[in-house]
Amino acid sequence: MTFNQRTALVTGAGRGIGKAIAEVLARQGVTVICVSKSESSCGAVAQAILAAGGKAKAVAVDVADGAAVTKASQDLLTEFGKIDILVNNAGITRDGLLARMSEDDWNTVIQTNLTSCFHWTKAIGWPMCRARYGRIVNVASVVGLVGNAGQANYAAAKGGMVAFTKSIAKEFARRNVTANVVAPGFIKTDMTATLGEEVQKAAQGMIPMQRFGEAADIAHMVAFLCSEEASYITGQVFTVDGGMAM
Ligand code: NAP
């Protein structure tokens, strides 16, 4: 994959899938701005990249806070001059059947998983358009494509990310900025570690490959979509799920 010394911003880079994305991009010579909620997690990832000879910076930002995202984007654009790659990966779950789902559970998930994409893309996507180069990858979920009982808030946010991505792909295409979605199935991270043993067993039964994926499985697909070689791919959704949603 070719990257030509690009600069990337990856949200949720402190753990799990985002950490793997940051590491894979850094290994390709990309300067990676690692964003997470807590300073300690993105800081540790950036430190590890630097220790391995890569280029990285850690920034703690609550992606659910639109004003904080806008301010951080402006500061980073001033510091780096440009951001060529944006990966909206930060996400949370607040699961529960609809009858028991609070408005707070709904709003928090929509704000963190979906509205954050609006703020980051607005702040960083337009400078990409002006520079006539950009790659945006949004990490959604197969749940956003097929739905899931107990995850109405999460599914709505992830489905919203798909529609949002296709819309901005159409807006930005003329300016050589691509936007795509990667939709993971069950991946081994802290997010799925909280699922009970029974739920994990049942989930495995729905996966033709009969196992959960690794964070690196998602990272490699994201990295490809961020590379020069993916220049003619936009507005697409790529499921990486061991065949679960086919
Ligand atoms: P994870 O292990 O729980 O890590 C989530 C990351 O997002 C952490 O670095 C966390 O920051 C960050 N984050 C959460 N809320 C944030 C906020 N308000 N502001 C800034 N950063 C925030 O999750 P994961 O499993 O890697 O999931 C990554 C993405 O893939 C999510 O969007 C998730 O919905 C999606 N996904 C995951 C799976 C799966 O099976 N794991 C399946 C489908 C889709 P801290 O480190 O500071 O806490």
Side-chain angles (χ1 to χ4, degrees), residues 11-19 35-42 60-65 88-93 112-113 120 139-143 154 158 161 182-193 195 212-213 215 218:
T11 71
R15 292 182 279 126
I17 292 170
K19 176 173 182 266
V35 173
S36 71
K37 193 168 185 180
S38 78
E39 197 138 12
S40 57
S41 67
C42 61
V61 185
D62 180 354
V63 300
D65 179 345
N88 284 304
N89 163 80
I92 56 162
T93 53
T112 306
N113 297 10
W120 285 113
V139 179
S141 168
V142 289
V143 166
Y154 184 79
K158 295 301 188 180
M161 285 173 81
V182 173
F186 283 95
I187 307 299
K188 279 186 241 162
T189 68
D190 291 351
M191 189 177 269
T192 45
L195 301 172
F212 283 15
I218 307 303

Side-chain angles (χ1 to χ4, degrees), residues 172-186:
F172 292 176
R174 276 190 306 140
R175 281 132 175 147
N176 196 33
V177 176
T178 66
N180 292 288
V181 170
V182 173
F186 283 95

Side-chain angles (χ1 to χ4, degrees), residues 142 183-187 206-213 217-218 239-246:
V142 289
F186 283 95
I187 307 299
M206 296 188 301
I207 304 168
M209 293 187 83
Q210 296 280 298
R211 61 178 173 83
F212 283 15
D217 294 325
I218 307 303
T239 53
V240 180
D241 65 352
M244 188 171 70
M246 72 175 142

